[in-house]
Amino acid sequence: MINTKDILETINMIEEEHLDVRTITMGISLLDCAAGTPEETCENIYNKITTYAKDLVSTGEDIEKEYGIPIIHKRISITPISLVGGLKTKEDYILAAKTLDRAAKTVGVNFLGGFSALVQKGMTNKDIAFLTSIPEALAQTERVCSSVNVGSTRTGIDMDAVKICGHIVKKLAYLTRDNYSIGCAKFVVFANVPEDNPFMAGAFHGVGEPEVEINVGVSGPGVVRAAIEKAGDCNLSELADIIKKTAFKVTRMGQLVACEASKRLGVPFGIVDLSLAPTPAIGDSVAQILEAMGLERVGTHGTTAALAMLNDAVKKGGAMASSHVGGLSGAFIPVSEDQGMIDAVNLGALSIEKLEAMTCVCSVGLDMIAIPGDTPEETISAIIADEAAIGMINNKTTAARLIPAYGKDVGDMVEFGGLLGYAPIMPVNKFSSADFVNRGGRIPAPIHSLKN
């Protein structure tokens, strides 16, 4: 039964603690769009997206008004474009990216994800052509997001793909150098990528998904922080229970929005992703959650343990609230999007090495980290490989979204604007990884991949 206390509590979460539905993402399969020419294929892609998603934005706005729940983004994810027939060359994929951008603008979404490839065990000729297109494709579009999965627990890590991804990041940074290399914010490299993640830049519509579906991403770092602060002097077991109960309430709100959007659009409901995704707004920070738990600054000793507890409690609370929790669901630790993380970097409390340790227990990985523009592409590839190795060995999703800001060095700041925030340039290890990366080949899967 709904009571006055629950209603008032939810209103307070929205008005005072930054609770929101971060995104309603419509996943659309493009597997039937192949045609005789790339131009015909792209026309089919445009027509399918604009047909299915024509009411996505207006429906989200209607729900937002009726329920008083902020719905920040309305977005689209598609079948990994490298899997769509009818596209073969670099030029074909650039044409497809421009088509996707045009479709996104037509229906009014701010981002479209799925300019993606799955190359965890090797690359086809189509995959290679696609990968070479990414820098130009993202530099020439506004709303298209790209991802590449280079490893998994079952297959190991494709180091040839990892090497190419380092080159992609460097070239993309150069092509968007006039805007702090922001193109790199639209490109992420994964291991163990989920097929139903609604959050950008890694969203795509997996081949195991239905023709079309609605996935919702809910976010409430401020709500969790407030709950911890109200708890006062309690032990960690009690604190974990408080986080679980809070995550339960937040997820229930997400499921309400997801089911309502599904019904109004006539599209199946996929999953609710309860990921604590921060913003630059004061109080909407994962770092501040960890500090509320007792750390003087995020990055100090104990940070990884606190984050592990937070991530686990969030997942347990979400799983109790909905039978369809998916995507990533946990805590994101992007630097540029989290004021607490930015403050910790500026104070010297948080380094890339500590962030890497934290990725062993958080939802994803090294996210929105600005590094010196002269960082060698082999070093970028090596950082990606480290993250992929953590994901592969621990059977979890990991990722890297790195921004080598062209012309910037440690001590500088880059400003992206909006929810992408701003970031201090973080130092990276100066010793070379080139000989290791250039070996190529595949890092074998771990022994525990043999589960059958």
Side-chain angles (χ1 to χ4, degrees):
M1 176 181 289
I2 298 175
N3 58 47
T4 303
K5 180 182 176 183
D6 290 337
I7 294 171
L8 292 174
E9 184 179 31
T10 302
I11 292 171
N12 186 61
M13 286 178 176
I14 293 169
E15 293 185 349
E16 304 294 333
E17 299 165 3
H18 305 287
L19 175 62
D20 59 55
V21 171
R22 187 57 50 87
T23 180
I24 295 178
T25 302
M26 177 179 281
I28 303 172
S29 173
L30 301 184
L31 291 175
D32 60 352
C33 289
T37 68
E39 291 76 14
E40 291 172 331
T41 297
C42 288
E43 191 62 23
N44 289 344
I45 289 171
Y46 178 84
N47 290 337
K48 187 165 188 181
I49 291 172
T50 54
T51 297
Y52 273 118
K54 66 181 187 299
D55 297 322
L56 175 63
V57 172
S58 60
T59 298
E61 291 172 346
D62 289 344
I63 295 171
E64 188 174 11
K65 292 173 185 175
E66 290 178 32
Y67 288 90
I69 299 170
I71 300 174
I72 308 302
H73 300 298
K74 297 83 182 175
R75 294 168 167 172
I76 293 169
S77 62
I78 60 165
T79 306
I81 199 70
S82 66
L83 301 180
V84 177
L87 306 170
K88 295 181 180 179
T89 68
K90 173 182 175 180
E91 291 71 26
D92 293 347
Y93 287 113
I94 293 174
L95 176 64
K98 292 178 178 179
T99 301
L100 295 172
D101 203 47
R102 180 163 59 97
K105 292 175 182 176
T106 298
V107 300
V109 298
N110 69 331
F111 282 124
L112 183 153
F115 197 71
S116 306
L118 308 175
V119 293
Q120 57 269 20
K121 198 174 181 181
M123 296 174 284
T124 66
N125 291 334
K126 267 171 59 74
D127 290 327
I128 294 171
F130 165 72
L131 292 174
T132 61
S133 78
I134 292 175
E136 287 89 346
L138 296 190
Q140 295 175 35
T141 57
E142 295 177 18
R143 309 188 187 196
V144 175
C145 291
S146 179
S147 60
V148 178
N149 192 68
V150 297
S152 76
T153 301
R154 295 287 298 195
T155 65
I157 303 171
D158 181 355
M159 288 298 294
D160 294 319
V162 168
K163 180 180 177 180
I164 292 174
C165 285
H167 175 72
I168 290 170
V169 172
K170 280 288 282 189
K171 187 170 184 180
L172 188 51
Y174 177 77
L175 292 176
T176 57
R177 62 193 180 280
D178 292 336
N179 194 15
Y180 297 118
S181 300
I182 197 171
C184 298
K186 299 190 295 175
F187 178 67
V188 58
V189 186
F190 279 104
N192 287 323
V193 68
E195 297 191 350
D196 54 4
N197 164 30
F199 288 101
M200 301 299 166
F204 68 87
H205 188 66
V207 294
E209 304 295 314
E211 184 74 8
V212 60
E213 69 181 349
I214 288 290
N215 296 320
V216 166
V218 185
S219 183
V223 177
V224 176
R225 177 190 52 78
I228 292 171
E229 289 175 347
K230 290 173 187 174
D233 187 18
C234 63
N235 67 38
L236 292 175
S237 297
E238 294 166 334
L239 203 58
D241 284 337
I242 290 167
I243 296 170
K244 284 191 292 184
K245 291 173 184 176
T246 306
F248 177 91
K249 295 172 185 176
V250 172
T251 306
R252 293 297 284 178
M253 184 201 73
Q255 174 136 332
L256 168 67
V257 171
C259 291
E260 194 64 30
S262 171
K263 181 174 68 176
R264 297 187 187 194
L265 291 166
V267 170
F269 160 48
I271 56 94
V272 176
D273 183 328
L274 176 61
S275 287
L276 300 180
T279 73
I282 301 300
D284 199 25
S285 162
V286 170
Q288 289 169 5
I289 294 175
L290 301 176
E291 289 166 5
M293 292 168 70
L295 303 173
E296 182 178 3
R297 279 290 174 185
V298 67
T300 190
H301 302 294
T303 298
T304 305
L307 181 59
M309 192 189 90
L310 171 66
N311 214 53
D312 181 66
V314 165
K315 290 178 186 290
K316 287 173 178 173
M320 282 296 294
S322 173
S323 296
H324 299 289
V325 172
L328 295 162
S329 289
F332 286 3
I333 53 171
V335 172
S336 78
E337 299 170 14
D338 188 314
Q339 186 61 50
M341 295 287 181
I342 295 168
D343 292 343
V345 171
N346 286 333
L347 289 170
L350 187 62
S351 65
I352 287 182
E353 288 76 15
K354 184 59 177 180
L355 282 165
E356 184 178 298
M358 293 164 66
T359 66
C360 296
V361 298
C362 77
S363 278
V364 196
L366 295 173
D367 195 14
M368 287 301 292
I369 295 175
I371 58 178
D374 62 358
T375 303
E377 63 184 59
E378 293 88 356
T379 298
I380 295 170
S381 293
I383 296 171
I384 292 169
D386 283 344
E387 277 304 298
I390 289 171
M392 174 185 71
I393 294 297
N394 292 292
N395 197 24
K396 71 179 293 291
T397 301
T398 51
R401 186 161 49 147
L402 306 171
I403 304 169
Y406 188 83
K408 300 295 181 179
D409 207 342
V410 176
D412 293 331
M413 191 77 69
V414 290
E415 179 72 49
F416 302 120
L419 287 178
L420 294 177
Y422 67 100
I425 303 296
M426 299 184 70
V428 299
N429 195 305
K430 294 292 187 181
F431 291 93
S432 176
S433 312
D435 289 347
F436 172 72
V437 169
N438 288 329
R439 285 180 180 273
R442 182 153 54 97
I443 294 178
I447 189 66
H448 57 259
S449 67
L450 301 176
K451 292 183 178 180
N452 288 341

